[in-house]
Amino acid sequence: MKTSENSLGERRHLLLFGGSASAFILAYFGARALLELYPMATWLRIAVVLFPILPFGLLLLTIIRGIRQMDELERRIQLEALAVAFPLTLLLLMILGLLELAVKLKPEDWSYRHLWPFMFIFYLVGLMTAKRRYE
């Protein structure tokens, strides 16, 4: 009986995670499209920019709840993944900041909105490294 309750809880968590991640992604790209396609008053542009914060908050709560349900080994793996991703992200930002002082970077290639995929990639690298270590 305990196993079916656990699997039901895991399925519920995955649905919540998928839904909140989808809501955030839709809100982000929706805000980006609105900002790029439609002229608006400054206050309305700021409201559009702030809108994705709500679904991101839900996503963050879902992630935290999921981590709290993990065993110690899974928590350690996640911590090591973040311990790799955070310094790599910091390094990327510092190098790009210095590079911007040295040469002119094209904003259409190296603006902040182009950097978030690197953060996700760094996390995946850390996750694969940690999982391989504990196999």
Side-chain angles (χ1 to χ4, degrees), residues 6 19 22 24 27-28 51-52 60-61 69 82 92 95 98 101 105-108 112 123-124 126 130:
N6 287 346
S22 298
F24 170 67
Y28 172 81
F51 178 72
L60 183 59
L61 285 173
Q69 293 173 355
L82 291 173
L92 175 66
I95 294 300
L98 291 173
L101 292 173
L105 296 176
K106 294 180 183 178
E108 59 271 6
Y112 292 117
Y123 168 74
L124 290 178

Side-chain angles (χ1 to χ4, degrees), residues 4-21:
S4 64
E5 288 177 16
N6 287 346
S7 64
L8 183 62
E10 287 174 14
R11 274 188 263 156
R12 183 174 175 264
H13 176 73
L14 283 175
L15 283 173
L16 276 172
F17 176 77
S20 58

Side-chain angles (χ1 to χ4, degrees), residues 31 34-35 38-52:
L34 284 172
L35 293 169
Y38 300 104
M40 295 178 254
T42 303
W43 70 269
L44 190 53
R45 293 178 69 78
I46 292 171
V48 169
V49 166
L50 297 177
F51 178 72

Side-chain angles (χ1 to χ4, degrees), residues 8-89:
L8 183 62
E10 287 174 14
R11 274 188 263 156
R12 183 174 175 264
H13 176 73
L14 283 175
L15 283 173
L16 276 172
F17 176 77
S20 58
S22 298
F24 170 67
I25 290 168
L26 287 172
Y28 172 81
F29 285 109
R32 188 168 165 182
L34 284 172
L35 293 169
E36 290 175 354
L37 299 175
Y38 300 104
M40 295 178 254
T42 303
W43 70 269
L44 190 53
R45 293 178 69 78
I46 292 171
V48 169
V49 166
L50 297 177
F51 178 72
I53 292 174
L54 294 172
F56 184 81
L58 178 61
L59 175 61
L60 183 59
L61 285 173
T62 304
I63 290 171
I64 290 169
R65 286 182 183 151
I67 289 173
R68 288 181 180 160
Q69 293 173 355
M70 292 178 180
D71 63 20
E72 285 105 28
L73 179 60
E74 276 298 317
R75 285 184 189 181
R76 185 177 187 118
I77 289 170
Q78 294 298 321
L79 178 62
E80 285 190 28
L82 291 173
V84 169
F86 181 76
L88 285 176
T89 300

